[in-house]
């Protein structure tokens, strides 16, 4: 007699129904309603998905139809996605921060026939460009319209039709089309198949990233591939997924309420906690505390005795480390940082504190995964190793990272030219530069298109210098420039949360434009630049810099929805500042 397991899933659309069989009344999703957390069991989630999927069939959604979702991360987002897949459709996520024109492009390019909008504001955004998206037949709001859709499904359930549709899905057919952030040109739709996602789910289970007893806190946008991996993998293994309540200022307080055991995040959250925890601690004492913490934890992990003098030193710093663990809820088994680089100093600090933060690497075109660090095999400062679950990787002659395996996407939607440019003989050309050490761990060294070639012919990866500058608590963003120029310069923005209290203590103005021009701030940032420069050869050092009177933002087009810098926009917008730095 065959035993039902998550591995029985043939397509992603099977997951909620298999999970209900396997995990029944265990908690699948947890979400904030007012001041309290409300749980939904795996069975309740499957019933909700079935109702919504039946409603979609009633509304005329056919197999292969694209359905766009424009909303922040919340249970309704996940339920809609699973329902669309159960109805045989294809999900098209859109960032809620996207401008109307960006929404129009994605809806039009994907040919979406239905859009699920979070609220009246998002609905109005799409209504304003309705004439530009002729294929869009209907907009349904999550605030009311979704309940109506589910009610229609309960009134006229379609179990036989939905079973037939799921059985007819080709595992290698599109399931989700994720549009890239578009750092250059309009976004391209990455076609991710059912096989792609199930590969990620099995990898997550194999490497114990998410385990059945985990409580996973998700604040990342579900329009991003990283959040999609987490959401689907939690369903696959039977973990509890706790959804962010919606207020960015409440992320850290909610960690203390949810007490997660697994936290997927972007570097900025860890950097903020690191900055707050180490503020005022002399550099030599911080390094000593981290060294002691790392030494003790490595010995304990290896089952070796800790020397008495080392144990005594650890006892002195452990109260500080305990407070760090408490910030994350006190139960964190591991955290995963992705979507952007994070410094090894930050990783070492959290490891010493008993909060293992592992770094991974991937892109939308590789279903978010390419290399992995695990608790049992990792190297801080690397993005991990490859070779598991069919994940293949090699370095091309020019240093570019190439990937191959069941995680590589099917291509760009409606864009065979762009697909041919990145897929060659099954190998995905990532555009990232990297190197592999003798133990198989990969280190990212830059982006091919970002490489600066100075007037002297030297090749420099600006990200290395920028990441070092951003380790300062005073710096929000740093953009290095110098292509065909005699030396490097940088534009720097101030971290308002850190610089304003510092300025107030000294009787300085507390508005960013005034602080950007203040000599005291200039001196402070000069120290940051000098410290960063000490890590690099002279050719890679920043010779001059300017402090901008505002931060980079999505509204100005300088940042993507995942907060990556759009260099071409920054360079164009601030061209005069660059000229002044070379004047």
């Amino acid at each position: 007699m065959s035993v039902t397991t998550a591995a029985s899933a043939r397509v992603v659309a099977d997951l909620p129904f298999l999970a209900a069989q396997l995990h029944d009344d265990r908690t699948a999703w947890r979400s904030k309603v007012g001041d309290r957390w409300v749980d939904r069991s795996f069975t309740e989630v499957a019933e909700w998905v079935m109702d919504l999927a039946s409603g979609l069939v009633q509304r005329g959604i056919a197999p292969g139809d694209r359905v766009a979702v424009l909303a922040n991360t919340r249970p309704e987002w996940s339920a809609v996605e699973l329902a669309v897949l159960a109805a045989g459709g294809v999900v098209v996520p859109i960032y809620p921060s996207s401008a109307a024109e960006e929404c129009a492009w994605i809806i039009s390019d994907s040919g979406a026939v239905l859009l699920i909008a979070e609220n009246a504001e998002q609905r109005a955004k799409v209504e304003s460009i309705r004439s530009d998206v002729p294929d869009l037949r209907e907009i349904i709001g999550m605030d009311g319209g979704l309940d109506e859709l589910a009610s229609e499904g309960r009134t006229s359930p379609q179990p036989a039709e939905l079973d037939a549709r799921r059985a007819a899905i080709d595992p290698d057919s599109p399931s989700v089309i994720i549009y890239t952030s578009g750092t250059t040109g309009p976004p391209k739709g990455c076609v991710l198949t059912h096989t792609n996602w199930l590969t990620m789910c099995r990898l997550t289970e194999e490497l114990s990233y998410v385990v059945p007893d985990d409580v996973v806190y998700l604040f990342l946008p579900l329009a991003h591939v990283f959040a999609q991996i987490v959401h689907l993998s939690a369903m696959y293994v039977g973990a509890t997924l706790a959804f962010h309540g919606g207020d960015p200022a409440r992320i850290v307080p909610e960690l203390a309420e949810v007490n997660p055991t697994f936290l997927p995040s972007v570097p900025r959250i860890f950097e903020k906690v690191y900055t707050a925890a180490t503020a005022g601690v002399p550099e030599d004492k911080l390094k000593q505390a981290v060294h002691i913490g790392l030494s003790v934890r490595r010995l304990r992990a290896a089952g070796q005795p800790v020397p008495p003098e080392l144990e005594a030193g650890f006892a002195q710093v452990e109260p500080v480390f305990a407070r760090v663990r408490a910030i994350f809820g006190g139960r964190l088994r591991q955290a995963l940082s992705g979507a952007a680089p994070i410094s090894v100093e930050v990783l070492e600090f959290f490891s010493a504190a008993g909060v293992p933060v592992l770094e991974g690497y991937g892109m939308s075109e590789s279903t978010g995964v390419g290399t992995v660090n695990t608790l049992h095999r990792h190297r801080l400062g690397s993005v991990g190793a490859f070779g598991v679950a069919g994940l293949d990787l090699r370095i091309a002659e020019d240093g570019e990272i190439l990937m191959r395996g069941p995680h590589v996407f099917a291509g760009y939607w409606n864009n065979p030219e762009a697909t041919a440019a990145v897929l060659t003989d099954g190998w995905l050309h990532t555009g990232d530069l990297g190197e592999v050490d003798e133990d198989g761990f990969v280190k990212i060294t830059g982006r091919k298109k970002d490489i600066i070639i100075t007037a002297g012919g030297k090749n420099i990866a600006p990200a290395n210098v920028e990441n070092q500058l951003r380790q300062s608590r005073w710096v929000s963003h740093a953009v290095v420039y110098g292509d065909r120029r005699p030396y490097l310069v940088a534009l720097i923005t101030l971290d308002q949360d850190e610089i304003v209290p510092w300025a107030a203590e000294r009787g300085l103005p507390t508005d960013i434009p005034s602080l950007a021009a203040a000599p005291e701030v200039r001196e402070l940032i000069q120290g940051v630049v000098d410290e960063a420069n000490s890590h690099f050869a002279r050719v890679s050092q920043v010779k001059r810099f300017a402090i901008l009177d505002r931060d980079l933002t999505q509204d100005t087009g300088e940042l993507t929805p995942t907060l990556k810098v759009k260099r071409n926009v920054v360079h164009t917008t601030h061209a005069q500042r660059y000229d002044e730095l070379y004047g």
Side-chain angles (χ1 to χ4, degrees), residues 202-454:
R202 289 162 186 153
L203 176 71
T204 299
E205 182 180 48
E206 178 183 341
L207 299 180
S208 298
Y209 272 138
V210 183
V211 298
D213 292 331
D214 268 340
V215 174
V216 183
Y217 179 70
L218 183 64
F219 71 90
L220 301 170
L222 277 163
H224 193 275
V225 67
F226 192 4
Q228 285 285 328
I229 294 173
V230 175
H231 141 67
L232 294 173
S233 295
M235 180 68 63
Y236 184 88
V237 304
T240 296
L241 190 65
F243 290 84
H244 168 48
D247 180 359
R250 292 285 304 164
I251 291 176
V252 172
E254 285 184 359
L255 288 172
E257 296 171 8
V258 171
N259 307 120
T261 55
F262 179 74
L263 176 66
S265 181
V266 290
R268 200 60 179 153
I269 296 297
F270 300 119
E271 290 166 353
K272 286 283 189 182
V273 174
Y274 172 80
T275 296
T278 60
V281 180
E283 185 177 355
D284 57 339
K285 289 190 175 181
L286 177 60
K287 287 183 177 180
Q288 183 182 22
V290 170
H291 174 72
I292 291 172
L294 288 174
S295 299
V296 169
R297 296 192 188 283
R298 284 168 182 162
L299 288 171
R300 288 177 177 174
Q304 298 177 6
V306 179
E309 64 275 12
L310 190 58
E311 194 73 73
F314 184 75
Q316 291 184 324
V317 297
E318 169 58 11
V320 175
F321 290 154
R323 287 195 292 273
V324 172
R325 293 194 297 274
I327 291 173
F328 294 98
R331 295 199 311 145
L332 201 62
R333 184 175 59 83
Q334 67 171 318
L336 187 61
S337 179
I342 186 170
S343 80
V344 69
E345 290 85 1
V346 173
L347 295 173
E348 287 178 341
F349 171 79
F350 283 114
S351 183
V355 180
V357 178
L358 304 177
E359 193 174 7
Y361 163 67
M363 54 200 305
S364 298
E365 289 86 344
S366 67
T367 325
V369 173
T371 58
V372 291
N373 276 301
T374 69
L375 288 175
H376 302 294
R377 186 170 187 263
H378 62 269
R379 178 157 296 168
L380 299 184
S382 83
V383 293
F386 56 96
V388 295
L391 308 187
D392 199 3
L393 180 148
R394 67 182 176 90
I395 306 296
E397 289 184 5
D398 63 355
E400 183 179 11
I401 296 173
L402 309 183
M403 295 187 212
R404 183 175 63 181
H407 58 313
V408 172
F409 78 148
Y412 294 115
W413 182 261
N414 283 339
N415 200 334
E417 295 83 6
T419 300
V422 298
L423 282 180
T424 306
D425 298 327
W427 287 97
L428 171 65
H429 290 247
T430 66
D432 290 314
L433 300 173
E435 55 193 28
V436 182
D437 69 18
E438 65 278 6
D439 296 319
F441 287 94
V442 178
K443 183 177 181 180
I444 307 298
T445 57
R447 286 284 293 171
K448 281 181 70 172
K449 66 182 180 182
D450 292 342
I451 290 296
I452 292 172
I453 303 177
T454 67

Side-chain angles (χ1 to χ4, degrees), residues 129-171:
I129 48 89
R130 193 70 182 267
S131 61
D132 299 327
V133 287
D135 292 333
L136 187 64
R137 300 196 300 254
E138 185 179 6
I139 302 173
I140 296 176
M142 283 185 177
D143 47 357
L146 215 55
D147 289 340
E148 184 179 330
L149 184 68
S151 178
E152 291 176 16
R154 279 192 299 275
T155 303
S156 300
Q158 305 286 322
E161 173 67 17
L162 292 173
D163 285 348
R165 289 190 181 195
R166 290 208 317 279
I169 296 173
D170 180 350

Side-chain angles (χ1 to χ4, degrees), residues 92-126:
V92 181
I94 304 178
Y95 287 99
S97 59
S98 298
E101 293 76 14
E102 293 172 308
C103 294
W105 166 258
I106 294 172
I107 296 167
S108 176
D109 186 67
S110 67
V113 298
L114 171 66
L115 181 132
I116 310 295
E118 181 171 20
N119 50 35
E121 178 187 355
Q122 298 293 357
R123 183 175 187 134
K125 185 194 298 183
V126 179

Side-chain angles (χ1 to χ4, degrees), residues 465 468-469 488 526-538 540-544:
V465 185
Q468 197 64 47
L469 289 167
L488 300 186
Q526 182 66 63
V528 171
V529 172
D530 291 344
E531 198 284 328
N533 280 340
S534 69
H535 296 269
F536 302 101
R538 286 183 60 84
S540 297
Q541 293 178 357
V542 171
K543 300 299 187 293
R544 302 186 69 186

